[in-house]
Amino acid sequence: MSVRVGINGYGTIGKRTAYAILKQDDMEIVGVTKRRPSYEARLAVKQGIPLYVPGEENIPAFEKEDIPVAGVLRDLLQKVDIIVDCTPGGVGETYKPLYEEAGVKAIFQGGEDHSVAGISFNSFANYHESWGAQFSRVVSCNTTGLIRTLYPLDRVFGVEKVFAALVRRGADPGDIKGAPLNAVEPSLKLPTHHGPDVQSIMPWLNIHTMAVKTPTTMMHVHCITADLRRKATDVDILSVWDNVPRIKFVSGRHGIKSSAQIMELARDLNRPRGDFMEIIVWEDGVKVEGGTLYYYQAVHQESDVVPEIIDCIRAMMKLERDPLKSIRKTDRSLGIGK
Ligand code: NAD
């Protein structure tokens, strides 16, 4: 029997999650919620996805626009096994009592604190911790990126200490609010929350982070140094990453010198929406000197968490015990991988 999934909040992450669920054979999308009758609401209906609204007060605006509404969130919760909360950061936790009352499992996103679920999720690093769980949280795009490359390194070489400087996109491409137009804005609360967020999955890791927001919509770029416990060469590092899922190499020598060219590559590869769900590492930007590794990676903020959400559903619903099997199944269905 296929697992019945609902999505609360049909924005950047919610619509990509819906698309990814449509591609799975062991889960189905029962409905999504939308607060306002936007073009995205129309597109959901056009794709045959039942549209719900958070509460009765939201219905008249949809009626006025002739967009059919299947019910309110409470109705949707009666029909699902699991809800993926994709509302904006801080909003998800306000819905937790409703999910609890309805007795459905729920996945929260990285905009919520770890405490919302008490478990944070990364497919490769700690799939089993969410096995059968009532609540879990898929960590943010940046945290997912850091864990994808650091966890395998730690397993093979041991990581003594990490420093990461995060050069963050100012806003998502479809977002017309909030980005600095002609400025670089440092996060003044130091060290930034990204280090502790990585520790919600790798509590033993000594990691510190800083971040600046920049006037681009195209990806986050991380500049990372990691002190390794065991000796490694550049080639050893690349070979570890080559053998784990969801890390893709690009090369400046082949003309990919920036996040803009990575996004162009995603479009050239006909990736849906021009998304890149893997973490992108510049293979000619990897250097070990003494015991310290230096590298750059790029994170497609709108999509890297989506395959993790699918795996998290499988773990929480006990659909697949082996994390690697789930990862491979997800990646095949979404056309991502090496
Ligand atoms: P978004 O603003 O693009 O989408 C949020 C959706 O929720 C919108 O459709 C909005 O109308 C709806 N919404 C707002 N308030 C609501 C409410 N009270 N009830 C129901 N729906 C409501 O946001 P997003 O970028 O998709 O982010 C969602 C979550 O994913 C956040 O926790 C965020 O931190 C996390 N996340 C975002 C990114 C990213 O770069 N966009 C990456 C990884 C994780």
Side-chain angles (χ1 to χ4, degrees):
M1 201 188 71
S2 122
V3 163
R4 300 166 303 163
V5 188
I7 295 177
N8 188 22
Y10 194 66
T12 307
I13 302 299
K15 63 189 174 186
R16 285 171 170 81
T17 302
Y19 163 82
I21 290 168
L22 288 171
K23 296 275 173 194
Q24 309 307 311
D25 61 13
D26 51 356
M27 53 190 85
E28 63 183 287
I29 183 102
V30 175
V32 301
T33 71
K34 197 81 194 109
R35 268 195 323 168
R36 298 200 182 91
S38 62
Y39 79 94
E40 285 160 325
R42 284 184 197 283
L43 277 178
V45 171
K46 211 168 166 186
Q47 285 176 295
I49 301 175
L51 192 71
Y52 291 76
V53 291
E56 304 283 345
E57 67 282 6
N58 304 104
I59 295 176
F62 285 79
E63 282 177 344
K64 209 168 145 202
E65 295 290 329
D66 270 338
I67 300 177
V69 170
V72 296
L73 176 60
R74 277 183 191 278
D75 303 323
L76 177 60
L77 292 175
Q78 297 305 312
K79 296 180 181 159
V80 300
D81 303 305
I82 185 164
I83 188 98
V84 184
D85 187 292
C86 298
T87 60
V91 175
E93 66 173 332
T94 66
Y95 279 110
K96 188 178 171 188
L98 200 61
Y99 304 152
E100 270 172 328
E101 192 188 311
V104 298
K105 293 179 187 258
I107 295 178
F108 297 93
Q109 304 305 315
E112 308 302 318
D113 290 339
H114 170 75
S115 58
V116 74
I119 307 172
S120 291
F121 181 87
N122 172 272
S123 306
F124 195 59
N126 73 341
Y127 184 93
H128 291 299
E129 281 181 39
S130 293
W131 184 254
Q134 179 75 12
F135 299 116
S136 186
R137 177 188 76 127
V138 170
V139 290
S140 74
C141 50
N142 277 311
T143 306
T144 296
L146 289 166
I147 291 169
R148 287 239 187 107
T149 50
L150 288 170
Y151 181 79
L153 287 183
D154 187 52
R155 281 225 315 212
V156 178
F157 305 110
V159 174
E160 184 72 41
K161 189 175 179 191
V162 177
F163 173 73
L166 277 55
V167 182
R168 297 175 55 206
R169 59 90 178 101
D172 289 338
D175 187 354
I176 55 169
K177 296 178 282 196
L181 182 59
N182 186 20
V184 174
E185 183 190 340
S187 288
L188 297 177
K189 205 169 156 214
L190 289 171
T192 61
H193 69 277
H194 307 92
D197 208 34
V198 169
Q199 288 165 338
S200 70
I201 289 182
M202 298 174 69
W204 61 87
L205 191 70
N206 181 358
I207 177 168
H208 298 277
T209 50
M210 294 174 80
V212 292
K213 227 191 225 183
T214 58
T216 176
T217 60
M218 291 199 195
M219 313 188 86
H220 305 295
V221 172
H222 298 169
C223 317
I224 302 172
T225 66
D227 293 345
L228 305 176
R229 294 209 174 94
R230 276 188 287 287
K231 240 179 145 172
T233 64
D234 309 353
V235 174
D236 297 332
I237 301 289
L238 289 168
S239 138
V240 167
W241 286 333
D242 202 22
N243 283 304
V244 293
R246 298 181 187 159
I247 295 176
K248 188 172 175 67
F249 298 139
V250 294
S251 157
R253 273 179 285 113
H254 299 155
I256 300 189
K257 296 176 191 241
S258 70
S259 56
Q261 287 148 331
I262 295 171
M263 290 286 84
E264 185 68 3
L265 175 64
R267 292 188 287 263
D268 287 342
L269 290 171
N270 288 322
R271 292 295 183 92
R273 289 192 167 86
D275 285 350
F276 238 133
M277 302 190 204
E278 300 96 326
I279 299 308
I280 310 297
V281 173
W282 274 275
E283 58 184 344
D284 42 1
V286 172
K287 181 88 197 148
V288 181
E289 231 173 57
T292 304
L293 163 68
Y294 301 80
Y295 67 101
Y296 298 104
Q297 65 181 24
V299 172
H300 187 230
Q301 75 279 354
E302 297 165 276
S303 68
D304 70 325
V305 297
V306 172
E308 309 286 326
I309 293 171
I310 300 298
D311 294 331
C312 191
I313 294 172
R314 280 209 189 93
M316 289 170 72
M317 296 307 304
K318 300 186 174 178
L319 290 175
E320 172 56 67
R321 207 170 258 285
D322 181 347
L324 274 178
K325 278 193 186 156
S326 176
I327 290 170
R328 278 193 210 109
K329 185 176 170 76
T330 305
D331 289 1
R332 239 188 344 264
S333 69
L334 299 177
I336 62 176
K338 296 282 188 286

